[in-house]
Amino acid sequence: PSCCKCSHRRRAHPKKKSAKMGGDDLAEDKTPHRPLAPEKYAAPEARDAKDAQAQSKGAAASARSRWKHVQEIVLPPQKVRKEASLFSSIEETDVARLNHLRRGDGLGWRMLWAFEGTVFPDLIKDPLFIFCLAFYTATRASVLLSDTVQTDDDANFQGVTILGAAVTFFLVFYTGHTFTRYQAQYFAAMEASKALVTFTLQAKAFLKRPRVLRLVRRMNAANMVAYVSLSTVYDFNVLKHWNEKYKVLTKNELAEVQEVVQDNDGSPDGLAVILNWIVGDLEEAVQTKETAELRCHILSTTLMQFKDGFERLFHYRDQQLPFFYVHLTVIFSWVYLPLLSTVLAISPVNPFLIVGILWETQNFAALVVSCIFVLGLRITSQHMSDPFGDDTYDFPVLQYR
């Protein structure tokens, strides 16, 4: 193109090959990273008559094909927009999870006003909590409005007290068990993340840059594919949009992984496929004398640590808490809380106004606190048993890269 103020023409500089995110590996991916201007690939009939007559039928068909491809990029289908929006919401949820983790170091009086990220959103929607409050309110109102009001305070709470002690012991033990599982899965995820960083540093020290870039992007891809397989919320669409953002897999590699991950059956086959590629890269580096066999052994050891961390996560996912254990917890909740509601609702009525108001407030508060304790521990245990869901209590796996 000519300069705007002189007749000199600019030199056509050849485009430099980018070494960013894989170099030669990504050369086969012809998909443009940015939407192109529609006028660049305009149909022949939209141009002037002279240019349209000069073009052959093959060139016209090629231009129409390229314009159709650009239209698909500039104007994606509604489904693609929805998937992109879902991926953005998942990223926002991961940021919210990190913020909730930092809130745990705050002052106690500030936590009293917290609602999001606590058990209360699930508690107020729990059927047992709603039933207990409604049953207590209706029964207590009928007792207060009846003509024969009991005024003695010799009500027997011994049976409910014994049952409450048994439920408390069982729930605390159950919650401790699920928290131990939660912590063990976190440390396994951190072990895999640590191995990912260590492998990157070792590869940079032992191998040449093109192979390092290929190994690092495949390790990051294996990390994400493993979490997609572990989660019931993440699917291949999340992996596809994540890959569009970070460019860790080529088009052909993504197609091979898609055949394994598309069904989202929870198997580690997608992780195994990418790890086989990495092992093949290491063997090729030894055969071509790019690195010593001892250094390749060091990289293989770090790769096995990465694999072992995810193997433990898959074992935890496959071996959930026994059903009879969880079922017994639900039974205890549905027996104890309605029984406590009944005992508090038919408790004696104090004839004095001020003392009577305090008495009613105490009974209602005792019921609410008991529901928060029993149902809160049960809800917390249920969320901690699966830390790869869509809750704000779950692990921010998109940050483990």
Side-chain angles (χ1 to χ4, degrees), residues 263-340:
D263 296 335
N264 194 21
D265 56 353
S267 65
D269 295 341
L271 174 64
V273 168
I274 302 180
L275 291 182
N276 286 334
W277 296 344
I278 298 174
V279 172
D281 269 337
L282 295 179
E283 292 177 353
E284 182 183 352
V286 175
Q287 294 173 358
T288 57
K289 306 299 182 180
E290 183 177 336
T291 186
E293 187 174 353
L294 178 60
R295 291 181 172 181
C296 183
H297 176 71
I298 295 175
L299 288 170
S300 300
T301 303
T302 307
L303 183 63
M304 291 302 103
Q305 294 175 357
F306 177 81
K307 180 182 72 69
D308 292 342
F310 280 112
E311 273 190 351
R312 286 205 298 275
L313 290 177
F314 278 104
H315 290 328
Y316 275 112
R317 196 276 316 275
D318 295 336
Q319 182 60 40
Q320 296 289 337
L321 293 174
F323 173 74
F324 63 86
Y325 195 16
V326 181
H327 179 262
L328 186 60
T329 306
V330 177
I331 290 297
F332 273 161
S333 303
W334 276 92
V335 170
Y336 171 68
L337 290 179
L339 183 60
L340 178 63

